Amino acid sequence: MLELSLLSINHVTVLQQWSLPELIDGLVRHGVPGISVWREKLHEVGVDEAARRIRDSGLAVSGLCSAGMITSPSPAEAAAGADDVRRALDEAAALGARCLVFVAGGIDARDKDLRGARARALDRLADLVPHARAVGVPIGLEPLHPMICARRSVLSTVGLANDWCDALDAGDGVGIVVDTYAVWWDPDLERQIKRAGRRICAFHVNDWLEDTQDLRLDRGMMGDGVIDIPAIRRMVEEAGYAGQREVEVFSARDWWTRDPDEVIRIVKERYQTAV
Amino acid sequence: MLELSLLSINHVTVLQQWSLPELIDGLVRHGVPGISVWREKLHEVGVDEAARRIRDSGLAVSGLCSAGMITSPSPAEAAAGADDVRRALDEAAALGARCLVFVAGGIDARDKDLRGARARALDRLADLVPHARAVGVPIGLEPLHPMICARRSVLSTVGLANDWCDALDAGDGVGIVVDTYAVWWDPDLERQIKRAGRRICAFHVNDWLEDTQDLRLDRGMMGDGVIDIPAIRRMVEEAGYAGQREVEVFSARDWWTRDPDEVIRIVKERYQTAV
């Protein structure tokens, strides 16, 4: 049974129910010590106001979600994505976030060039690393599930994230975000988490439902699916990660429809019994 | 522009429109030289009758789909799956099919043990190989997309299929089925297809739609999505595969709702322009 001290809850888990101030108050009320901030919700409040409220709350910020989308073959589109990453890094620094969650971007149907999209993402990341180092927030490379490779992320495995880290050689300017939902199926997972080692800058937990009905918005609460979450947690911890464990459940048909206080209560229970 | 001589069409592409006799007649009418048979449709007709009709038609049978589902932690359930694989191998031999498409099976929510499920599948495959060799039909290990790992197949990458082939050391008793939809996202694809080499016993083509809406029944027609299919075809051919190219489109919202003669016409066009 895990202590709650490293629990963090990502805003997306109650995205439809609470504003950022409501989430901050709710987490404090329920004795949850950590938060992960969703940028759309951050921008509703403003960064200064949000930073002040979070500082006053004492919540530890496990991450800021998300920026990236820099794979486009259009230089103008990619530059807009890169500018947004720089803004997001500044925001993450203002909030004291442990990392900025980076989502690479997908494939462009205009060229269908997966290898090219991956190469462009890596090139553009190299340009962004100095800003990350300057503000002291790592760009957290988050491999996303292969089923959203086309739309959101050509970074599909922890192995590829390790390859990118090797190529960038950026020290603490980049890290790797391990999300159970995205990586649980990977036959090479244990080896690649070991290889990632101290690069791991965030650990996201949630579950894969057997009857998953949507490619993005149907994640399960820990314990409701088929992932052996404790096994992945142990891999991450054996690799040297000792940070927060962030609960991140996108769930349009279930958790977004519930009373948010009930959601937080159940997250706390499941964190103790199924993580 | 590809010649039609290696084109095969999987029954699933017009699953809702045609019986097996209707498909056989339709393919002959459209000058399509190859067929892949769906077992539910085969059983409606009976194996002897189907084998006679296919022999008379001159169609080349690129595969029989599918059998497997041998990952269960329940020995009785796994034995039932294995018996079905043996029956399917006999059917494939009767039809002169190039391979039996093998679908491993998923994770059991009762134990959430992915590593165990993979180990069980491999052990049980070893027991099935003698039957495959006896009837002269390879068990075609088909890696399926990680998004159906929980429900249908713990065999998620060509790399893992290669590992299983190495472990089985079964010569022509097993092969690997490369399906563009299942593998296109894999950063390690080129290397693993090269490693597969002559193990490749079938090549399935179809496309990944940008706005994919279902985890199983929303595949796209070649050319309508983001996969660089010719690039994957070249990898497979450079690895030594010179067999049929099988079109396999599961599409509940689009192709299953169309006139089947229109579907076959469009498959032929797209095979020539987008494969």
Side-chain angles (χ1 to χ4, degrees), chain A residues 26 29 52 74 107 109 119 139 157 160 180 214 234 237 240 265:
Chain A
R29 190 166 64 245
R52 186 186 62 70
S74 148
I107 307 287
I139 298 172
T157 60
L160 188 60
T180 54
D214 187 87
R234 283 189 292 268
E237 291 174 359
R265 272 195 304 275

Side-chain angles (χ1 to χ4, degrees), chain A residues 153-169:
Chain A
S153 178
V154 295
L155 181 57
S156 308
T157 60
V158 180
L160 188 60
N162 274 318
D163 291 346
W164 286 11
C165 285
D166 286 349
L168 290 166
D169 192 20

Side-chain angles (χ1 to χ4, degrees), chain A residues 36 44 55 70 74 107 114 131-132 147 174 207 211 237:
Chain A
S36 180
E44 287 170 10
R55 201 165 46 241
I70 58 172
S74 148
I107 307 287
L114 177 55
H131 196 89
M147 72 184 169
V174 296
D207 214 337
D211 69 336
E237 291 174 359

Side-chain angles (χ1 to χ4, degrees), chain A residues 139-151:
Chain A
I139 298 172
L141 305 180
E142 182 169 30
L144 292 181
H145 196 285
M147 72 184 169
I148 53 173
C149 182
R151 267 289 168 87

Side-chain angles (χ1 to χ4, degrees), chain B residues 100-178:
Chain B
L100 169 68
V101 174
F102 171 83
V103 174
I107 308 287
D108 199 292
R110 289 168 289 187
D111 68 0
K112 307 189 185 200
D113 181 5
L114 176 56
R115 185 196 294 248
R118 285 176 172 151
R120 289 191 293 268
L122 183 56
D123 278 352
R124 290 161 185 170
L125 271 171
D127 292 339
L128 292 166
V129 162
H131 196 89
R133 302 191 75 155
V135 301
V137 175
I139 298 172
L141 306 180
E142 182 169 30
L144 291 181
H145 196 285
M147 72 184 169
I148 53 174
C149 182
R151 267 288 168 89
R152 292 188 57 77
S153 178
V154 294
L155 181 56
S156 307
T157 61
V158 181
L160 187 60
N162 275 317
D163 291 346
W164 287 10
C165 285
D166 286 350
L168 290 166
D169 192 21
D172 54 11
V174 296
I176 295 177
V177 178
V178 176

